[in-house]
Amino acid sequence: MKFAGRIWRLLVGIKDGLVLVFMLGFFGLLFAVLTARPSPAQVRGGALVLNLDGYVVEERQRIDPFQAFLTQQAPIAEYQARDLIRAIDAAASDDRITAVVLDLDSFLGGGQVHLTAIGDALDRVRAAKKPVLAFATAYANDSVLLASHASEIWLDPMGGAMVAGPGGTRLYYKSLLDRLNVDAKVYRVGTYKSAVEPYLADQMSDAARENYEALYGALWGEWQADVEKARPQARITAIANRPAEWVASAGGDIARAALAGGLVDKLGSRDDFDARVAKIVGADEWSNRPDTPVTTDLDSWLEHIGEPSGGAEIGVITIAGEIVDGDAGPGTAGGQRIADLLDDALGQNLHGLVVRVDSPGGSVLASEQIRRAILRHKAAGTPVAVSMANVAASGGYWVSTPADRIFAEPDTVTGSIGIFAVIPVFDRAAKSIGINTDGVRTTPLSGQPDILGGFTPETDQVIQAGVENGYRKFLSRVASSRNMTVAQVDRIAQGRVWDGGAARQIGLVDQYGDIDEALAWTAQKAGLEQGSWHPLYLGSSETTYETILRQLLVDDSQVEARRDVAGLVSARQRALGAQLGADLERLMGSAGMQAYCLECPATGAKTATIQQTWWKGLAILLGAAN
């Protein structure tokens, strides 16, 4: 037995040793993976390939692996506009990159300001005598805008192109709420503050319709002007206004219609396109496939060129997405998170601060929290500029009020100066199923707000007074910032949304300009000479862990699935479900007073994505039928 015991202990020892070796090897491998970075050695020259299999954003959202596991849905790829512009500009001046390729086959879109800025960068590549080539199976609004800046646009003959323009419909719930005996208690200020209209009516109000028509008309005009300037041969007016006639003129072949209409230059397969690129930049000797071009991918190129550095630092704080209370973000503007970033930067010896806003607003309290944090920089003598991207409206304008100067683009959406609150009350619904309430109150506000027993008149008056007081504070902040009287601001406020051009005329914006111009102005105010400073994006760096997660979890299979007709219908259904969910959350959520712009065009993977996939799917369907 002693001998057997010794043998057993020996075997256990061997087992423990093997487990220890295995664990050391596992954690060593895990450390190597988590500390891995794209190697600059992967930069091989040739064509810089921008495979935009997702959507363009101001700030990428943080990936939550647990949410991805629970939902069994991988996040869709996001590309920061500033990264794309930096990569394209570097390619224009680097002799190793001889062409830029836009792979828009799975592109989901982005904001108009972002796409215009990327288009301008592509123009600089062409000005450097380098070709820009684009390929897709189908083109829709956003991909047409981006591809129009290419020197050659290729289209798969099984696909097509559509120009739908901005606009569409949304859901209204008044009749449904009446049928369910649910009352939506709405408190608002502003004739044009239509974020709560879906709960009060079954159709758009005249004031909201007037605002929408002016806003979308201006954005549509800017879109057409950009495309027509970049691609004069495109017959945009005929294609957009007489689509049936345009398609019929090509015998129903939408791909040939796109070619005849000047939207594309060549019809060809992916292999044909690759062969064309290889002819320009050279064939890849490492590939077993013939006519494979030499390429450099975006991640490797960005790693190679690095971030701007050297000299004095001008801080850039990004306020992107809905403004909410707490630590949410990036990609969502958590008030506490952004305020903490700003406060931490007070000790970083910043020579200036640029506030980059791409937000339709949200929580009033969070917006004010961010505004106060910006004011602390002003109190320290730091010059502050605001750079507006696609949207800087409602709460997005609230956080802009401390600026010494506001920069925007003609197709920026801003304004929407107004406040609302919405609370559902179920007293009628409760009574209809036999639930009654009774009790004793010591004051008119005892037990209030009571969503089952109903609100007292005093409760309604107190909440409405709070909303009106918030609106007056909003007006006073804007008036102080823009050197206007409160009455003057009120005339251009009332929740009305303005395009960047109109906003500049009425004084809500100081001048046209992108973020580079805002940075240059801030540097000049700080007394810095050109070339002696660089921007420092606060809190924007991803950890190695997040980089690996993004590489492992982001999957374009969802995007690919939307390119056929079945996926198209599924995407449409998911879109309606998403809108229902967002409206229900807005109704049921206890988010307090909101300065939020519902009228503002969605950026990222929201409404724009649905319209893109719908028209892309239709184009593919019509092309395949021929």
Side-chain angles (χ1 to χ4, degrees), residues 88-325:
I88 294 168
D89 281 337
S93 58
D94 194 301
D95 292 338
R96 290 170 298 175
I97 301 298
T98 52
V100 173
V101 169
L102 290 175
D103 187 340
L104 302 176
D105 217 14
S106 301
F107 183 48
L108 293 179
Q112 198 160 312
V113 168
H114 284 153
L115 299 184
T116 300
I118 295 169
D120 291 343
L122 293 172
D123 289 342
R124 292 191 286 272
V125 172
R126 294 179 62 180
K129 307 302 181 184
K130 297 182 180 183
V132 177
L133 300 94
F135 178 86
T137 304
Y139 292 94
N141 291 352
D142 289 351
S143 49
V144 169
L145 176 58
L146 204 52
S148 67
H149 292 268
S151 47
E152 286 186 27
I153 304 177
W154 284 65
L155 171 67
D156 192 302
M158 297 294 288
M162 284 285 180
V163 177
T169 61
R170 66 159 295 110
L171 301 175
Y172 289 81
Y173 307 102
K174 179 62 167 64
S175 293
L176 173 63
L177 293 176
D178 287 343
R179 181 171 296 183
L180 297 175
N181 291 316
V182 174
D183 295 312
K185 290 282 189 178
V186 171
Y187 311 90
R188 63 172 173 171
V189 182
T191 303
Y192 299 93
K193 201 63 182 174
S194 59
V196 294
E197 281 190 0
Y199 314 114
L200 298 177
D202 287 322
Q203 61 186 17
M204 188 182 296
S205 69
D206 292 340
R209 188 177 303 278
E210 173 200 341
N211 198 182
Y212 270 100
E213 288 175 348
L215 175 65
Y216 284 120
L219 295 179
W220 178 228
E222 290 291 336
W223 188 97
Q224 292 180 89
D226 191 331
V227 173
E228 290 169 353
K229 179 182 178 181
R231 193 171 180 81
Q233 66 268 42
R235 297 163 49 205
I236 296 298
T237 301
I239 292 169
N241 295 334
R242 299 187 297 276
E245 177 184 326
W246 165 61
V247 173
S249 67
D253 188 330
I254 197 166
R256 293 204 169 275
L259 182 63
L263 288 180
V264 302
D265 298 300
K266 303 279 187 181
L267 299 183
S269 66
R270 169 75 67 173
D271 290 340
D272 297 330
F273 178 74
D274 286 345
R276 170 59 176 159
V277 177
K279 185 177 180 180
I280 295 173
V281 304
D284 187 353
E285 297 178 353
W286 296 1
S287 175
N288 294 324
R289 292 183 58 194
D291 296 329
T292 299
V294 178
T295 61
T296 296
D297 66 84
L298 175 63
D299 288 339
S300 298
W301 184 242
L302 285 172
E303 179 69 13
H304 174 74
I305 63 178
E307 295 277 359
S309 61
E313 294 177 338
I314 295 179
V316 181
I317 188 70
T318 303
I319 303 171
E322 184 172 352
I323 299 174
V324 299
D325 300 311

Side-chain angles (χ1 to χ4, degrees), residues 512-527:
Y512 291 149
D514 58 16
I515 188 168
D516 288 336
E517 290 172 275
L519 284 164
W521 181 90
T522 307
Q524 186 268 328
K525 285 295 179 182

Side-chain angles (χ1 to χ4, degrees), residues 332-458:
T332 300
Q336 186 64 55
R337 177 181 64 86
I338 293 174
D340 288 344
L341 287 172
L342 286 165
D343 287 344
D344 290 344
L346 285 170
Q348 291 184 239
N349 192 31
L350 298 180
H351 288 70
L353 178 67
V354 172
V355 183
R356 178 66 166 175
V357 184
D358 191 30
S359 171
S363 164
V364 171
L365 290 177
S367 299
E368 177 64 9
Q369 187 176 23
I370 295 170
R371 187 189 76 91
R372 291 173 181 174
I374 297 171
L375 285 174
R376 287 192 280 275
H377 280 264
K378 287 195 71 173
T382 304
V384 176
V386 161
S387 170
M388 294 180 170
N390 305 290
V391 179
S394 213
Y397 197 87
W398 186 299
V399 300
S400 302
T401 54
D404 297 311
R405 196 159 189 84
I406 296 179
F407 294 77
E409 301 285 4
D411 33 16
T412 297
V413 177
T414 188
S416 191
I417 299 169
I419 291 180
F420 70 88
V422 56
I423 306 171
V425 179
F426 303 94
D427 53 334
R428 289 194 299 123
K431 289 178 182 177
S432 68
I433 59 175
I435 299 177
N436 295 284
T437 60
D438 197 7
V440 175
R441 293 193 179 97
T442 55
T443 73
L445 300 182
S446 295
Q448 293 290 312
D450 186 348
I451 63 172
L452 291 180
F455 286 15
T456 63
E458 292 83 356

